[in-house]
């Protein structure tokens, strides 16, 4: 089946540093989304992307829908301790059922004050 | 505003017992999704409903799993009989017109002994 390869698996950074993570696939996707999950909670939607090449920001977060429609990245600028958590990419595959999202395995972010 | 509500938050049961997980979607949302999250397999879509009708149940692992949505404000996921390998966190999510922008509940952590 279709898979999303999310990298890196984990990151340990210093407060104030910028962060970059990405998701790739061998298949085309119609939609890319980025979620954050805190321990003991459900994933929270950060950014949704609908068009190839689209670049969208949400505060210190910026995400892009790759021009090939096979990848997406998420950047976090000037990280702070509350950015700690697991970040997931998700996408709706081209030709798939509407709403049937595929999730990456997540990037665990740790921020050292 | 109330988000997606799930109950119970934690469930511990013995193998062979019936388990029922409950979900109340965000008011006005017309799509509801059930996911399972494990360390090994990540987040997997089990089934989703649109306007109370099951659209895609291809992710339901076995006949032991069943889901219903009797009305727009309530859904259940039932496992009968439960097995230790069903231990996971089960999430319910809902979405409105932008069906891919799914809002997750806090999850039910299920442990089957």
């Amino acid at each position: 089946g279709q898979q999303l390869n999310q990298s890196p698996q984990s990151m340990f950074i210093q407060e104030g540093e910028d962060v970059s993570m990405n998701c790739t696939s061998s298949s085309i996707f119609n939609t890319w989304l980025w979620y954050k999950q805190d321990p003991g909670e459900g994933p929270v939607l950060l950014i949704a992307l609908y068009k190839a090449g689209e670049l969208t920001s949400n505060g210190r977060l910026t995400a892009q829908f790759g021009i090939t429609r096979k990848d997406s990245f998420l950047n976090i600028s000037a990280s702070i301790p509350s950015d700690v958590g697991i970040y997931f990419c998700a996408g709706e595959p081209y030709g798939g059922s509407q709403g049937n999202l595929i999730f990456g395995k997540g990037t665990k972010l740790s921020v050292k004050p | 505003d109330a988000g997606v509500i799930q109950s119970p938050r934690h469930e511990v049961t013995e193998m062979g017992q019936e388990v029922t997980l409950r979900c109340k979607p965000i008011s006005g949302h017309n799509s509801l999704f059930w996911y399972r999250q494990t360390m090994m397999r990540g987040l997997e879509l089990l089934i989703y409903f649109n306007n109370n009708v099951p659209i895609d149940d291809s992710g339901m692992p076995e006949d032991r799993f069943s889901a219903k949505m009797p009305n727009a404000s309530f859904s259940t996921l039932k496992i009968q009989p439960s097995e230790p390998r069903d231990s996971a966190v089960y999430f319910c999510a809902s979405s409105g017109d932008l069906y891919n922008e799914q809002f997750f509940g806090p999850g039910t952590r299920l442990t089957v002994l």
Side-chain angles (χ1 to χ4, degrees):
Chain A
Q2 287 146 327
Q3 289 187 326
L4 290 181
N5 300 307
Q6 187 170 350
S7 64
Q9 281 189 311
S10 61
M11 303 181 74
F12 293 84
I13 62 168
Q14 198 79 26
E15 182 178 359
E17 289 183 355
D18 296 343
V19 173
S20 185
M21 60 191 77
N22 68 82
C23 253
T24 61
S25 174
S26 58
S27 305
I28 291 173
F29 281 72
N30 291 331
T31 307
W32 286 97
L33 305 103
W34 286 91
Y35 284 84
K36 182 192 177 198
Q37 186 175 23
D38 292 328
E41 302 293 333
V44 174
L45 181 63
L46 300 174
I47 293 178
L49 303 157
Y50 292 96
K51 290 173 59 176
E54 181 180 352
L55 184 72
T56 297
S57 293
N58 178 5
R60 293 179 296 106
L61 278 60
T62 301
Q64 184 159 30
F65 191 140
I67 198 72
T68 65
R69 298 173 64 187
K70 294 181 179 181
D71 61 345
S72 177
F73 72 73
L74 174 71
N75 287 344
I76 305 173
S77 63
S79 59
I80 58 178
S82 63
D83 291 333
V84 165
I86 302 178
Y87 292 79
F88 292 97
C89 63
E92 179 194 278
Y94 174 77
S97 303
Q98 290 184 352
N100 193 340
L101 296 180
I102 309 294
F103 279 79
K105 290 288 170 50
T107 295
K108 185 175 182 179
L109 178 63
S110 301
V111 179
K112 185 176 179 181
Chain B
D1 290 340
V4 175
I5 298 172
Q6 291 187 248
S7 65
R9 291 294 309 272
H10 302 273
E11 176 83 22
V12 180
T13 191
E14 292 189 343
M15 183 173 65
Q17 296 297 305
E18 177 180 296
V19 174
T20 299
L21 311 181
R22 297 173 176 80
C23 175
K24 177 178 168 55
I26 293 172
S27 178
H29 280 187
N30 54 13
S31 294
L32 183 142
F33 308 81
W34 282 101
Y35 287 88
R36 179 171 65 178
Q37 186 177 41
T38 61
M39 288 293 293
M40 288 295 293
R41 300 174 68 91
L43 263 168
E44 301 174 286
L45 178 66
L46 300 177
I47 185 172
Y48 79 91
F49 296 83
N50 184 255
N51 293 323
N52 312 339
V53 176
I55 302 299
D56 186 346
D57 65 354
S58 59
M60 296 286 262
E62 299 172 31
D63 291 345
R64 298 184 296 107
F65 286 69
S66 62
K68 293 182 180 179
M69 191 164 185
N71 58 63
S73 59
F74 183 66
S75 177
T76 59
L77 178 68
K78 187 175 293 187
I79 309 172
Q80 166 63 18
S82 58
E83 297 182 3
R85 60 192 168 117
D86 301 330
S87 297
V89 181
Y90 291 82
F91 289 103
C92 175
S94 70
S95 64
D97 292 339
L98 295 174
Y99 51 83
N100 277 331
E101 295 188 14
Q102 300 174 17
F103 294 82
F104 283 74
T108 295
R109 180 174 293 277
L110 174 65
T111 302
V112 183
L113 303 174

